[in-house]
DNA sequence: TTCCCTTACGTACACAGAGTATGTATCCTG
DNA sequence: CAGGATACATACTCTGTGTACGTAAGGGAA
């Protein structure tokens, strides 16, 4: 008994995506069944399978969505920071840390995603978003071409781990952890700035 | 019909562990069933459940074993490098990169482990092994106490990502990728050395 | 030696969850 | 206003985990 058409269907897909995002973020991928997602979205598993190929596909859509949000935040921060690549690197990196720790993104993007969609695919997603910005600004800031990919990986990994460290730190001290992460990050980035 | 006793049982447990290590490393945690492991080890699932609490428990044992191996390699390299903390940091970091990319460790330790055993537990394991060494040498090299944990996380994450980058790089160019990773790592560590 | 408890498995079963096949009511297009 | 196409719901199958139970050997205690 489908009450829906066209626009309503897209709305349903979005509700499923939102429910999945919440559940995956709070319990982790493995502990969430598609029945949980369907119930939370007020539909049956049939609807979920209609809009997404399978559980991994749904997760992929969730991850891509979050990834795009984070990349947006980074891009905005870098643009606001001005035209100097050094400032863009600093501002973008800090924005990345804040954006990815704020959202329900950490569990999904940094813990489950590599295992669920595979590291290759995960990195491909990342390379199309925030990592691309990082790589470009590192090039402008004078990192040698031969070391560009490796350096991008290093710094990307550093910031990801810092984000996990902040997100999973004792909840009463998240703010001080965040401050320390930013300070340590500055120290690290200083070696790339003039 | 148990043919085994005491010493033979330990041998069985080890065979199961070895089989699990191979299978988890090549296919990833989710794609390996306990029946696969049991068959590969020449026993039934009953034997697996006798020696390990459940699938996650078996995986945890595998991860802990690999983790210890890597930490050993790092400790040895640091000791050989001499008494100067700066040299220990350099040598230990490079040894870490080589050790973790050589073994079947990458898929298990860096991709599946955080998702399977949880990030908190994973970090606890890491903190008892290679991360502890890193933290200590960073302290000796002059990193401020307030930034010690954050900096350890940053550098640990950087090296983990570099390891993934090397391990998953195009198989025909693994060696050049490794060289680039080492070079970029040196560049990064240089800011912590005199 | 015999008894009996424990160890070290093997076997059988229950249950959850993923994926698939099928049914069906609504929408949309000609 | 037919007739597909869409958007779901329902029902079923199958794989894999976990658990309960069975059972043969090892190893002290009597």
């Amino acid at each position: 008994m489908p009450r829906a058409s066209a626009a309503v269907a897209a709305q349903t897909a979005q509700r499923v995506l939102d429910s999945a995002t919440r559940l995956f973020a709070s319990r982790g991928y493995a502990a969430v069944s598609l029945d949980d997602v369907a119930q939370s979205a007020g539909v049956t598993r049939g609807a979920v399978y209609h809009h997404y190929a399978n559980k991994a596909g749904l997760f992929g859509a969730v991850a891509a969505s979050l990834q795009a949000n984070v990349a947006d935040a980074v891009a905005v921060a870098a643009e606001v920071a001005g035209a100097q690549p050094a400032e863009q690197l600093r501002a973008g990196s800090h924005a990345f840390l804040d954006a990815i720790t704020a959202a329900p993104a950490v569990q999904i993007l940094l813990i489950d995603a590599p295992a669920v969609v595979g590291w290759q695919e995960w990195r491909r997603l990342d390379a199309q978003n925030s990592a691309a910005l990082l790589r470009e600004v590192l090039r402008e800031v004078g990192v040698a071409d031969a070391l560009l990919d490796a350096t991008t990986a290093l710094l990307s990994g550093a910031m990801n781990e810092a984000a996990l460290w902040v997100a999973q730190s004792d909840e009463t001290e998240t703010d001080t952890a965040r401050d320390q992460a930013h300070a340590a990050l500055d120290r690290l980035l200083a070696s790339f700035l003039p």
Side-chain angles (χ1 to χ4, degrees), chain A:
Chain A
M1 326 87 167
R3 302 119 193 146
S5 83
V8 181
Q11 200 175 332
T12 301
Q14 185 63 42
R15 281 214 323 281
V16 170
L17 197 76
D18 292 341
S19 294
T21 302
R22 275 200 311 277
L23 289 171
F24 285 150
S26 62
R27 296 188 214 163
Y29 179 79
V32 173
S33 74
L34 288 186
D35 205 23
D36 293 338
V37 174
Q39 261 193 274
S40 164
V43 294
T44 65
R45 284 174 45 242
V48 176
Y49 274 101
H50 176 72
H51 289 287
Y52 303 94
N54 50 30
K55 190 181 178 184
L58 172 59
F59 181 87
V62 168
S65 163
L66 291 177
Q67 187 95 330
N69 286 352
V70 172
D72 269 359
V74 172
V76 167
E79 193 171 358
V80 169
Q84 292 185 13
E87 259 315 301
Q88 290 186 353
L89 175 58
R90 267 181 40 87
S93 298
H94 289 289
F96 174 83
L97 200 55
D98 288 337
I100 205 169
T101 52
V106 172
Q107 171 74 37
I108 293 174
L109 287 182
L110 301 183
I111 297 183
D112 283 330
V116 174
V117 307
W119 188 82
Q120 301 270 12
E121 174 65 12
W122 176 72
R123 179 128 280 281
R124 224 177 47 76
L125 271 181
D126 199 37
Q128 289 175 350
N129 290 286
S130 28
L133 302 169
L134 176 60
R135 192 189 131 100
E136 181 55 24
V137 78
L138 283 176
R139 209 172 59 78
E140 290 175 5
V141 100
V143 172
D145 277 3
L147 298 184
L148 202 50
D149 286 331
T151 305
T152 303
L154 276 186
L155 288 183
S156 177
M159 287 188 273
N160 286 342
E161 187 67 23
L164 283 164
W165 185 74
V166 170
Q168 312 270 341
S169 65
D170 189 357
E171 318 221 337
T172 65
E173 298 184 354
T174 295
D175 286 343
T176 69
R178 184 183 306 272
D179 290 343
Q180 290 174 22
H182 279 293
L185 181 58
D186 263 334
R187 171 107 155 70
L188 199 69
L189 292 177
S191 63
F192 292 94
L193 307 182

